């Protein structure tokens, strides 16, 4: 009998069992041991500190988290900050979340605009083309800060070819806008719309930009999105 083989087999088997996830005892442990599976995303989701904010949907969070880990592993993003925008929701609701994945804490939850040609209250159509005035879905890496016509603004690099990789050329950036406010909704029955930028409330603009700038992950979700486009990033 080949005892060396049996010993090696037993060692591999025990090692495999030792790597099976056990209930998390701390929030930091969740970040270091989570995989890209739905079950792991659900475990982290259940541990999120909502910080008195509304929680995102599990579906959008799971997809965002999978991409976050993939991009982090490839070194495309560097921070443990995830910005999730869910364009399946009404523009009149707070559909942007900034999440610190080191502490599993939601830092911000606020309104965010979509492009004027993407839809009225609900986002429906998307484009990567210049002058389309439509939003683009998918994963982005945040870039550098600059001062433009909207004040402090944050450049974005679209990471999905043919989906959002024209973001720089189109000047799709994070910026503050007066039309992204509860008062605008009350007066117009819906949030204002941008030329394709994920515009946010003026009063939160500087705070959010300073947290998410310089190579963090930003993800714009919609059920119509083709998830296969993201796989090309990883190939």
């Amino acid at each position: 009998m080949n005892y060396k083989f049996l010993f090696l087999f037993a060692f591999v088997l025990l090692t495999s069992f030792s790597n099976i996830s056990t209930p998390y005892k701390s929030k930091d442990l969740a970040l270091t041991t989570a995989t890209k599976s739905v079950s792991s995303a659900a475990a982290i989701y259940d541990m999120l500190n909502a910080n008195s904010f509304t929680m995102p949907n599990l579906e959008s969070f799971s997809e965002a988290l999978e991409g976050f880990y993939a991009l982090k592993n490839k070194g495309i993003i560097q921070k443990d900050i995830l910005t999730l925008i869910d364009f399946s929701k009404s523009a009149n609701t707070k559909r942007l979340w900034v999440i610190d994945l080191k502490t599993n804490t939601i830092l911000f939850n606020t309104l965010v605009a979509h492009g004027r040609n993407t839809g009225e209250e609900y986002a429906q159509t998307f484009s990567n083309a210049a002058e389309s005035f439509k939003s683009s879905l998918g994963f982005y890496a945040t870039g550098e800060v600059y001062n433009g016509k909207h004040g402090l603004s944050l450049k974005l690099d679209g990471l999905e070819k043919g989906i959002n990789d024209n973001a720089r050329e189109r000047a799709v950036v994070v910026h503050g806008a007066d039309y992204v406010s509860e008062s605008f909704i009350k007066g117009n029955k819906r949030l204002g719309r941008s030329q394709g930028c994920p515009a946010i409330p003026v009063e939160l603009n500087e705070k959010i930009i300073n947290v998410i700038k310089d190579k963090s992950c930003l993800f714009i979700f919609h059920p119509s999105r083709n998830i296969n486009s993201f796989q090309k990033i990883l190939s």
Side-chain angles (χ1 to χ4, degrees):
M1 183 177 291
N2 191 335
Y3 290 102
K4 289 184 177 180
F5 173 80
L6 288 176
F7 176 79
L8 180 60
F9 177 77
F11 176 77
V12 171
L13 188 63
L14 287 171
T15 302
S16 298
F17 277 116
S18 68
N19 287 331
I20 294 177
S21 297
T22 56
Y24 300 121
K25 295 182 180 180
S26 72
K27 291 180 178 179
D28 287 340
L29 185 60
L31 179 61
T32 59
T33 61
T35 66
K36 294 180 286 184
S37 67
V38 173
S39 60
S40 294
I44 294 178
Y45 182 85
D46 288 342
M47 291 174 51
L48 281 179
N49 175 5
N51 210 10
S52 299
F53 296 123
T54 301
M55 291 278 285
N57 290 342
L58 177 58
E59 179 187 3
S60 59
F61 177 77
S62 297
E63 195 169 327
L65 192 67
E66 178 177 355
F68 166 84
Y69 282 119
L71 294 172
K72 191 78 185 293
N73 287 338
K74 288 184 73 71
I76 296 174
I77 60 168
Q78 298 172 2
K79 291 184 173 181
D80 291 324
I81 297 293
L82 171 63
T83 302
L84 168 60
I85 297 172
D86 187 348
F87 274 165
S88 71
K89 295 181 175 295
S90 164
N92 298 341
T93 64
K94 295 180 178 181
R95 53 185 181 164
L96 179 149
W97 292 263
V98 177
I99 304 167
D100 185 338
L101 289 172
K102 271 191 175 179
T103 62
N104 278 10
T105 302
I106 297 177
L107 304 179
F108 301 97
N109 173 215
T110 190
L111 299 167
V112 61
H114 56 249
R116 67 175 65 164
N117 290 338
T118 279
E120 294 287 332
E121 180 182 344
Y122 285 90
Q124 297 179 329
T125 60
F126 308 93
S127 176
N128 193 35
E131 306 302 324
S132 66
F133 298 149
K134 292 184 178 182
S135 299
S136 300
L137 301 176
F139 285 93
Y140 298 78
T142 62
E144 66 275 22
V145 173
Y146 71 101
N147 279 291
K149 63 180 181 179
H150 298 290
L152 190 71
S153 304
L154 175 65
K155 293 187 177 182
L156 298 173
D157 291 301
L159 302 177
E160 300 186 42
K161 189 173 182 180
I163 304 298
N164 61 19
D165 59 334
N166 288 333
R168 286 246 174 187
E169 177 186 338
R170 296 178 59 201
V172 173
V173 301
V174 177
H175 65 78
D178 292 334
Y179 55 77
V180 186
S181 65
E182 297 289 352
S183 60
F184 190 97
I185 293 172
K186 289 178 182 178
N188 298 272
K189 308 302 181 185
R190 62 162 173 78
L191 195 71
R193 294 165 299 163
S194 68
Q195 295 185 347
C197 297
I200 58 178
V202 172
E203 66 271 17
L204 290 175
N205 186 54
E206 184 173 349
K207 293 178 181 178
I208 289 177
I209 285 178
N210 283 331
V211 170
I212 71 174
K213 66 182 180 181
D214 299 330
K215 302 298 182 184
S216 74
C217 178
L218 185 147
F219 175 60
I220 301 179
F221 170 85
H222 190 269
S224 66
R225 157 180 153 76
N226 181 2
I227 62 174
N228 292 328
S229 66
F230 178 65
Q231 301 305 319
K232 297 177 182 178
I233 302 174
L234 308 180
S235 60

